[in-house]
């Protein structure tokens, strides 16, 4: 879902002749569908966040080795793309080059930087949640949902919102859901639990229908009211309550099922971060994809059949990211893991002694 989202020829904060500004309402069904595909990325991000944050709820310590390993992998992948740019003679904007040189501090991959910060402070977030009583928790949920998923969703500058605040908000939502599921499992009989499972399973198609219907209606309104005609991506953000419902429901459906061990499925998630890094670097999405792939598309192929080429690019990026991740996992990653474990062990002895 994330790779498909990144394969849409989208642009907003800089001009490019071979990319499309999807913020505007359109009479083109193809463009509206591409806006929906763009939104898939945030649902994919949420599924990843919820899956990761769920298993941190009872954690009281930070795995320093994990933090160092993520940092090293990000730096190595960024250095790889700097080298590729040099070899291909691609002229990179000075700010973009600076971001690639400092991928963590300057957030060359926004999700990695935000995730690392949340992971480092997650024991404190767990402690803060545990001191909430029932009434205070309920009040906190109401305030948080209104402030972030309603008010900030419309006025993005509200409450000093940032991507980091968004991740912390999702962590809070996961904590509440984790607490509720634990209480349900402890207090409900088999039949009642089965009813909860059925309800959750219906939330996924309901959320998808709601999203499609809302986006279609909003596009129609934008075509007739100029003031709302350039806001089609306003709701493409992780705090969108519809996205949260869909992602959380998908996770809970899997959680309520009996676990099965499938070697390939268990191995691929270990590569998910690497696939994200390799397929979505600044060099890929800002230079190679628009200047090579979509340039060729717009110059040689009718734009009316752009949608299939979005899926073709997604397939190519998936193969590219997976192939490089497999190679890296069997080579350099062994070195980064070894260094991370050694350095992490020393730091953990000092911190937790």
């Amino acid at each position: 879902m994330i790779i498909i989202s990144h394969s849409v020829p989208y642009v907003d904060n800089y001009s490019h002749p071979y990319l499309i500004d999807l913020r505007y309402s359109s009479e083109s069904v193809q463009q509206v569908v591409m806006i929906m595909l763009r939104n898939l990325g945030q649902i994919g991000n949420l599924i990843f966040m919820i899956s990761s944050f769920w298993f941190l709820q009872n954690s009281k310590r930070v795995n320093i080795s994990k933090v160092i390993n993520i940092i090293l992998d990000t730096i190595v992948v960024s250095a790889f793309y700097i080298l590729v740019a040099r070899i291909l003679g691609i002229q990179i904007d000075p700010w973009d080059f600076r971001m690639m040189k400092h991928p963590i501090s300057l957030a060359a991959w926004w999700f990695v930087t935000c995730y690392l910060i949340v992971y480092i402070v997650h024991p404190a977030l767990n402690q803060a949640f545990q001191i909430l009583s029932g009434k205070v928790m309920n009040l906190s949920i109401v305030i948080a949902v209104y402030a972030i998923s309603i008010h900030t969703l419309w006025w993005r500058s509200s409450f000093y919102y940032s991507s980091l605040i968004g991740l912390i908000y999702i962590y809070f939502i996961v904590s509440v859901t984790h607490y509720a599921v634990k209480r349900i499992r402890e207090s409900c009989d088999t039949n009642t639990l089965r009813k909860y499972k059925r309800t959750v399973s219906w939330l996924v198609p309901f959320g998808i229908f709601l999203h499609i219907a809302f986006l279609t209606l909003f596009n129609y309104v934008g075509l007739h009211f100029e003031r709302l005609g350039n806001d089609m991506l306003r709701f493409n953000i992780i705090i969108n309550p519809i996205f949260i419902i869909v992602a959380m429901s998908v996770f809970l459906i899997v959680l309520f099922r009996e676990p099965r061990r499938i070697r390939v499925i268990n191995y691929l998630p270990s590569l998910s971060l690497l696939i994200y890094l390799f397929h979505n670097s600044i060099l890929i999405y800002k230079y190679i994809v628009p200047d090579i792939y979509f340039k060729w598309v717009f110059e040689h192929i009718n734009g009316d059949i752009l949608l299939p080429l979005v899926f073709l690019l997604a397939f190519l990026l998936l193969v590219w990211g997976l192939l490089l991740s497999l190679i890296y996992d069997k080579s350099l990653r062994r070195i980064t893991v070894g260094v991370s474990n050694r350095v992490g062990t020393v730091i953990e002895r000092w911190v937790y002694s």
Side-chain angles (χ1 to χ4, degrees):
M1 294 171 74
I2 294 171
I3 293 174
I4 290 173
S5 171
H6 292 159
S7 301
V8 174
Y10 163 69
V11 63
D12 63 346
N13 60 349
Y14 64 97
S15 60
H16 197 286
Y18 302 110
L19 297 178
I20 302 171
D21 194 339
L22 297 178
R23 293 175 298 179
Y24 293 90
S25 301
S26 174
E27 295 182 352
S28 168
V29 174
Q30 178 175 249
Q31 182 159 325
V32 175
V33 172
M34 284 196 291
I35 294 171
M36 294 179 183
L37 294 180
R38 182 70 185 176
N39 291 347
L40 286 180
Q42 298 296 12
I43 299 176
N45 286 334
L46 281 165
I47 293 174
F48 185 91
M49 292 177 205
I50 292 168
S51 302
S52 178
F53 293 163
W54 188 273
F55 299 102
L56 295 179
Q57 294 305 306
N58 298 319
S59 173
K60 297 180 180 179
R61 294 177 54 168
V62 175
N63 186 337
I64 305 296
S65 299
K66 176 180 178 178
V67 173
I68 296 173
N69 189 234
I70 292 175
I71 293 173
L72 289 179
D73 286 343
T74 305
I75 291 173
V76 170
V77 173
S78 190
F80 166 75
Y81 278 115
I82 290 175
L83 179 62
V84 170
R86 295 294 192 191
I87 293 174
L88 297 180
I90 299 175
Q91 296 297 320
I92 300 177
D93 179 82
W95 174 249
D96 291 336
F97 185 71
R98 192 175 297 117
M99 290 178 68
M100 294 174 71
K101 286 172 61 180
H102 307 279
I104 300 296
S105 58
L106 296 182
W109 289 270
W110 74 271
F111 183 83
V112 174
T113 300
C114 290
Y115 177 81
L116 278 173
I117 294 173
V118 173
Y119 178 74
I120 289 171
V121 302
H122 82 269
L125 295 177
N126 289 344
Q127 286 187 345
F129 180 78
Q130 289 170 5
I131 65 174
L132 297 177
S133 63
K135 292 183 179 179
V136 175
M137 184 187 299
N138 293 335
L139 179 61
S140 299
I141 294 169
V142 172
I143 293 174
V145 170
Y146 168 75
I148 305 299
S149 276
I150 298 177
H151 199 282
T152 302
L153 185 65
W154 186 259
W155 291 283
R156 195 73 80 245
S157 59
S158 303
F159 302 105
Y160 289 99
Y161 179 80
S162 65
S163 297
L164 178 59
I165 290 177
L167 259 73
I168 294 174
Y169 170 69
I170 298 303
Y171 195 96
F172 175 70
I173 296 295
V174 172
S175 298
V176 172
T177 309
H178 184 272
Y179 174 81
V181 170
K182 183 179 178 182
R183 292 289 298 272
I184 289 170
R185 281 180 160 173
E186 290 175 349
S187 59
C188 294
D189 56 32
T190 305
N191 290 331
T192 306
L193 192 59
R194 192 175 292 115
K195 291 180 181 178
Y196 276 109
K197 293 179 182 179
R198 281 199 297 267
T199 302
V200 168
S201 64
W202 276 105
L203 285 176
V204 176
F206 173 73
I208 294 172
F209 168 79
L210 199 61
H211 170 57
I212 294 174
F214 176 80
L215 203 61
T216 303
L217 177 62
F218 196 72
N219 182 70
Y220 176 82
V221 172
L223 289 173
H224 294 81
F225 296 91
E226 185 177 351
R227 185 164 175 259
L228 298 174
N230 63 344
D231 271 342
M232 288 301 294
L233 290 175
R234 174 180 291 274
F235 307 103
N236 182 38
I237 187 170
I238 58 173
I239 59 175
N240 187 323
I242 297 176
F243 294 173
I244 295 173
I245 289 171
V246 172
M248 183 65 76
S249 300
V250 168
F251 176 78
L252 291 177
I253 287 171
V254 177
L255 186 73
F256 283 138
R257 292 183 177 179
E258 290 297 321
R260 294 169 56 196
R261 295 189 176 276
I262 305 174
R263 183 172 297 179
V264 174
I265 298 298
N266 289 342
Y267 175 65
L268 287 179
S270 69
L271 302 177
S272 58
L273 178 63
L274 291 176
I275 295 173
Y276 171 70
L277 293 173
F278 276 116
H279 96 272
N280 193 46
S281 76
I282 292 174
L283 185 67
I284 293 289
Y285 74 78
K286 198 170 181 179
Y287 296 90
I288 293 179
V289 166
D291 292 341
I292 297 178
Y293 184 83
F294 282 114
K295 178 181 179 181
W296 182 86
V297 166
F298 280 98
E299 289 181 352
H300 296 87
I301 298 180
N302 189 338
D304 294 335
I305 59 169
L306 185 59
L307 205 55
L309 297 171
V310 170
F311 287 101
L312 175 60
L313 177 61
F315 174 75
L316 294 174
L317 288 178
L318 176 61
V319 172
W320 170 257
L322 181 58
L323 181 62
L324 289 182
S325 298
L326 289 169
I327 295 172
Y328 182 82
D329 185 58
K330 300 301 181 183
S331 55
L332 289 177
R333 199 180 202 186
R334 296 181 178 181
I335 299 175
T336 61
V337 169
V339 172
S340 302
N341 289 340
R342 289 187 179 89
V343 176
T345 300
V346 173
I347 295 176
E348 286 178 4
R349 286 175 182 171
W350 177 71
V351 171
Y352 298 119
S353 61

